[in-house]
Amino acid sequence: MPEQISQHPAVITEDDRTGTSVETLKRAILDNLYYVVAKVPPAATDIDYFTAVAYTVRDRILAHWIETLESYSRKELRVVCYLSAEFLMGPYLANNILNLGLDAPFLQAVKELGLEFDRIVTSESEPGLGNGGLGRLAACYLDSLATLSVPAIGYGIRYEFGMFHQQIRDGWQVEMTDYWLRYGNPWEIRRSQASVEVGFGGHTESSTDEHGKYRVRWVPASVVKGIPYDTPIVGYRSGVVNDLRLWKSEATESFYFERFNSGDYQGAVSEKVFAENISKVLYPNDEEIQGKELRLQQQYFFTSCSLQDMIRFQQRFQFPLDTFHQEWAIQLNDTHPSIGVAELMRLLLDEHGMGWDEAWHITNNTFSFTNHTLLPEALERWPVPLFGSLLPRHLEIIYEINARFLKEVRERFPGDEARAARMSLIDEHDQKYVRMAHLACVGSHRVNGVAELHTQLLEHDLLRDFYELWPEKFINVTNGVTPRRWLAVSNPEQSALMSRKIGTAWISDLDELRGLEPLAEDAACRAQWRGVQRDVKVRLSNYIKAQLDLSIDPDSLFDAQVKRIHEYKRQHLNVLHILTLYHRLKHNPNLDVIPRTFIFGGKAAPGYFMAKLIIKFINAVGEVVNKDPDVNRRLHVVFLPDYDVSLGQRVYPAADLSEQISTAGKEASGTGNMKFAMNGALTIGTLDGANVEIRKAVGTENFFLFGLTADQVRATLASGYHPWDVYQSNPVLHEIIDSIASGHFSHGDRDLFRPLLDSLLQHDTYLLFADYQSYIDCQDQAAQAYRDQEHWSRMSILNAARMGKFSSDRSIKEYCEDIWHIKVNAAKK
Ligand code: F58
């Protein structure tokens, strides 16, 4: 090698787009800053630098991405298509750098450029294209699929406006629109040439073809175009980069111009508005479905685009259509994409001339369905007239599926007409509805719940009839979360300590954390663990100070509840505990209580009055408690506004105690519960969702359990529950409720919290009063346990060490084996 080359290897041997040495990265960042962002360093803002760094990272992703896309065409590989109306991805930069294995050189390069890595990372505005757990689960699953080298495409909607931003004004939630694309999006690539067309409305025409076969043609009233935007999903050091393909709706030129040219300007414009509206905004409701036409349009739009895309791939690879189900496994993330069952049937029957039986065989073997809720108000159903006017052909197909399905039900259960009516795809109680969960069940070869208890409740309650008909269809896959984002990226302090003790294998094999167990018995290790935990708490305290100008004590017990605000999640039960402590301190200011900081975060659906009132309630209590001299700064209540993935990454690592206090039988699984415990928080929780399995995994002695079981909840409600009696018989609860009613927390306003109190005293659907005393006793035990810091650290280490099961890698392996029939290790290479 000539001398001058060996002296400057980075300059001469490395390509600016792919090189990974510190020198090359520095050059590439400045290059992108100049040539892509069009800025020179003195003029560059944090966002400019973020953009330049992001392009530099993307350049290093591209070769892997293109290679992975090409591998989809290999016949022996089945591609997983995860259909989801929501993907709550969170910021990409730190995660992509970690997964590429370029964290060290990037950190160094950024530092040598005189920049702060943290500032660049926090400049990224996150795509909030989801409401909560369901959308975030989809994101964790994409990370695990790529990490496990499973070829996969996430299909969804590229909402122009994602989840609203929450401001808190005078204690109330105020919603602000989320224009997340304001500064552009360096990760995505628009693929205009891969657009597809989707029809809406119109009518159908039937005829008999030249072979005497019955054929139907759908003549839509309008057609919109779907444009795919692709974002790379980088596997953790696997070399695989999968695709997140999100569809944007636009007007088709032909429709638009046809109207325009014929002088129908208004029609042309409304066509354009109709088309562009479809992917405009994410519906911000969690757990309650309103039968809005636009939502059905969104669901059909992205599902049809995605299925057409798969068929186009199939044809481009020259695979026959009759093996479609062998090439593609489609997972329905809840019922939102379940119209896909009827759409794939339509495409196969009408567009590709296939017969019913073959089309049905393919459809049924392609789809599988995950249910995420037991709440009746979250079950999707569409009024038949609305459905028929928007999707006339699909309604015909659904009627045909239903006729054949009910025939099977009647053969299995002769004479049981009540059962047939219960199971029908059409609800005919009064107004007629299409039941989307039934369509998803009938059209799928597997149906799964997301935690053991949830699956049992599906089998014996919500979907009982279906379970009795097809028990083999039902399986459980307990949720999991990715340790890359939720430990390695968000908790670098604890991650570094763990890696020093047991190596780094845990990042892609979370069971390795077991190796931490012996540390629990080692006093020096416990001290290190506590030291790290304190550093993380200081980090959050500084953030709270900067954001809210509130000083909190990092040595207080950090007691956190972050999740959507919902009555069943019982944030107000948490507040009743705060008020109980407050009540004790008011009666005895010298009482020795453990200093606590109560941390809340979460958004309420804009139309959910009670949830919004709960936010006001938390803030109102905080306003009084934080300032009361009798409390003397021993209790703090903090409501962190605008809870999102980025904020979650700050809160999970800093918590000592994780509040998982939903009414048993209501929370399908929960995933925040997993993120907290992995980060060493102890859980106070009910036997609900995945709490049951977490408790079993970490050891019952390392978990604070309280409350009624799901069976007891059902029995309590069935036997005539009277919350008023609990109020009358519990003097502390009585006093607390009275003080709220007296206006003590509302500047004397006795009406403000009346709806909340009336609901609790008269109905208490979520059994706060029934669980109140058990919760308070359990909180007292937790406080007592916290006094013994050695013991607490022991429990904390054991929690983290035993959370291996809750990696999304484990969940994805189960989906691969039991649902998609993919051998994980054979998937690539
Ligand atoms: C959540 N559902 C469950 N729905 O509540 C939670 O227990 C579970 O851990 C999680 O799914 C993942 O399985 C949820 O987040 C939504 O946000 C839907 C959005 C669209 C409207 C209906 C609710």
Side-chain angles (χ1 to χ4, degrees), residues 18-42:
T18 54
T20 56
S21 71
V22 173
E23 283 309 313
T24 307
L25 292 179
K26 278 161 64 182
R27 216 171 44 243
I29 292 169
L30 293 178
D31 226 50
N32 279 324
L33 186 67
Y34 191 85
Y35 287 104
V36 180
V37 188
K39 284 278 183 88
V40 288

Coordinates of all heavy atoms in Angstrom, one line a residue, residues 18-42:
T18 N -20.9 5.8 3.1 CA -21.0 4.5 3.8 C -20.0 4.4 4.9 O -20.1 3.5 5.7 CB -20.9 3.3 2.8 OG1 -19.7 3.5 2.1 CG2 -22.1 3.3 1.9
G19 N -18.9 5.2 4.8 CA -17.8 5.0 5.8 C -18.3 5.3 7.2 O -19.2 6.0 7.4
T20 N -17.6 4.6 8.1 CA -18.0 4.7 9.5 C -17.0 5.1 10.5 O -17.1 5.0 11.7 CB -18.6 3.3 10.0 OG1 -17.6 2.3 9.7 CG2 -19.8 2.9 9.2
S21 N -15.8 5.6 9.9 CA -14.8 6.1 10.9 C -15.3 7.5 11.3 O -16.1 8.1 10.7 CB -13.5 6.2 10.2 OG -13.5 7.2 9.2
V22 N -14.7 7.9 12.4 CA -15.1 9.2 13.0 C -14.8 10.3 12.0 O -15.7 11.2 11.8 CB -14.3 9.4 14.3 CG1 -14.6 10.8 14.9 CG2 -14.7 8.4 15.4
E23 N -13.7 10.2 11.3 CA -13.3 11.3 10.4 C -14.3 11.4 9.2 O -14.8 12.4 8.8 CB -11.9 11.1 9.8 CG -10.8 11.4 10.7 CD -10.9 12.9 11.3 OE1 -11.2 13.8 10.5 OE2 -10.8 13.0 12.5
T24 N -14.7 10.2 8.7 CA -15.6 10.2 7.6 C -17.0 10.7 8.1 O -17.7 11.4 7.3 CB -15.8 8.7 7.0 OG1 -14.4 8.3 6.7 CG2 -16.6 8.7 5.8
L25 N -17.4 10.3 9.2 CA -18.7 10.7 9.7 C -18.8 12.2 9.9 O -19.8 12.9 9.5 CB -19.1 10.0 11.1 CG -19.3 8.5 11.0 CD1 -19.6 7.9 12.4 CD2 -20.5 8.2 10.0
K26 N -17.7 12.8 10.4 CA -17.7 14.2 10.6 C -17.8 14.9 9.2 O -18.6 15.9 9.0 CB -16.3 14.7 11.2 CG -16.3 14.5 12.7 CD -14.9 14.5 13.3 CE -14.1 15.8 13.1 NZ -12.8 15.6 13.7
R27 N -17.1 14.4 8.2 CA -17.1 15.0 6.9 C -18.5 14.8 6.3 O -19.1 15.8 5.7 CB -16.1 14.3 6.0 CG -15.4 15.2 5.0 CD -14.3 14.5 4.3 NE -14.5 13.2 3.9 CZ -13.9 12.1 4.3 NH1 -12.9 12.2 5.2 NH2 -14.2 10.9 3.9
A28 N -19.1 13.7 6.5 CA -20.4 13.4 5.9 C -21.5 14.3 6.5 O -22.4 14.8 5.9 CB -20.8 11.9 6.1
I29 N -21.4 14.5 7.8 CA -22.4 15.3 8.5 C -22.3 16.8 7.9 O -23.3 17.4 7.6 CB -22.2 15.3 10.0 CG1 -22.5 13.9 10.6 CG2 -23.0 16.4 10.7 CD1 -22.0 13.7 12.1
L30 N -21.1 17.3 7.8 CA -20.9 18.6 7.3 C -21.4 18.7 5.8 O -21.9 19.7 5.4 CB -19.5 19.1 7.5 CG -19.1 19.3 8.9 CD1 -17.6 19.7 9.0 CD2 -20.0 20.3 9.7
D31 N -21.1 17.7 5.1 CA -21.5 17.6 3.7 C -23.0 17.6 3.6 O -23.5 18.4 2.8 CB -21.0 16.2 3.2 CG -20.3 16.3 1.9 OD1 -19.4 17.2 1.8 OD2 -20.7 15.6 1.0
N32 N -23.7 16.8 4.4 CA -25.1 16.8 4.3 C -25.7 18.2 4.8 O -26.7 18.6 4.3 CB -25.7 15.7 5.2 CG -25.7 14.4 4.4 OD1 -25.9 14.3 3.2 ND2 -25.4 13.3 5.1
L33 N -25.0 18.7 5.8 CA -25.5 20.0 6.3 C -25.5 21.1 5.1 O -26.4 21.9 4.9 CB -24.6 20.5 7.4 CG -25.1 21.8 8.1 CD1 -26.4 21.6 8.9 CD2 -24.0 22.3 9.1
Y34 N -24.4 21.0 4.3 CA -24.2 21.9 3.2 C -25.1 21.6 2.0 O -25.9 22.4 1.5 CB -22.8 22.0 2.8 CG -22.4 23.1 1.9 CD1 -22.1 24.4 2.4 CD2 -22.4 22.9 0.5 CE1 -21.8 25.4 1.5 CE2 -22.1 23.9 -0.4 CZ -21.8 25.2 0.1 OH -21.5 26.2 -0.7
Y35 N -25.0 20.3 1.6 CA -25.7 19.9 0.3 C -27.1 19.5 0.4 O -27.9 19.6 -0.5 CB -24.9 18.8 -0.4 CG -23.6 19.4 -1.0 CD1 -22.4 19.1 -0.3 CD2 -23.6 20.2 -2.1 CE1 -21.2 19.6 -0.8 CE2 -22.4 20.7 -2.6 CZ -21.2 20.4 -2.0 OH -20.0 20.9 -2.5
V36 N -27.6 19.1 1.6 CA -29.0 18.7 1.7 C -29.7 19.8 2.5 O -30.8 20.2 2.1 CB -29.1 17.3 2.5 CG1 -30.6 17.0 2.6 CG2 -28.3 16.3 1.7
V37 N -29.2 20.3 3.6 CA -29.9 21.3 4.4 C -29.6 22.7 3.9 O -30.3 23.6 4.2 CB -29.5 21.1 5.9 CG1 -30.3 22.0 6.8 CG2 -29.6 19.7 6.3
A38 N -28.5 22.8 3.1 CA -28.1 24.1 2.6 C -27.8 25.1 3.7 O -28.3 26.3 3.7 CB -29.2 24.7 1.7
K39 N -27.0 24.7 4.7 CA -26.6 25.6 5.7 C -25.1 25.4 6.0 O -24.5 24.3 5.8 CB -27.3 25.2 7.1 CG -28.7 25.7 7.1 CD -28.9 27.1 7.6 CE -30.3 27.6 7.7 NZ -30.8 27.3 9.1
V40 N -24.4 26.5 6.5 CA -23.0 26.4 6.9 C -23.1 26.4 8.5 O -24.1 26.9 9.1 CB -22.2 27.5 6.4 CG1 -21.9 27.4 4.9 CG2 -22.8 28.9 6.7
P41 N -22.1 25.8 9.1 CA -22.2 25.6 10.6 C -22.6 26.9 11.4 O -23.4 26.7 12.2 CB -20.8 25.1 10.9 CG -20.4 24.3 9.7 CD -20.9 25.1 8.6
P42 N -22.0 28.0 11.1 CA -22.4 29.1 12.0 C -23.9 29.5 11.9 O -24.5 30.0 12.9 CB -21.6 30.3 11.4 CG -20.5 29.7 10.5 CD -21.1 28.4 10.0

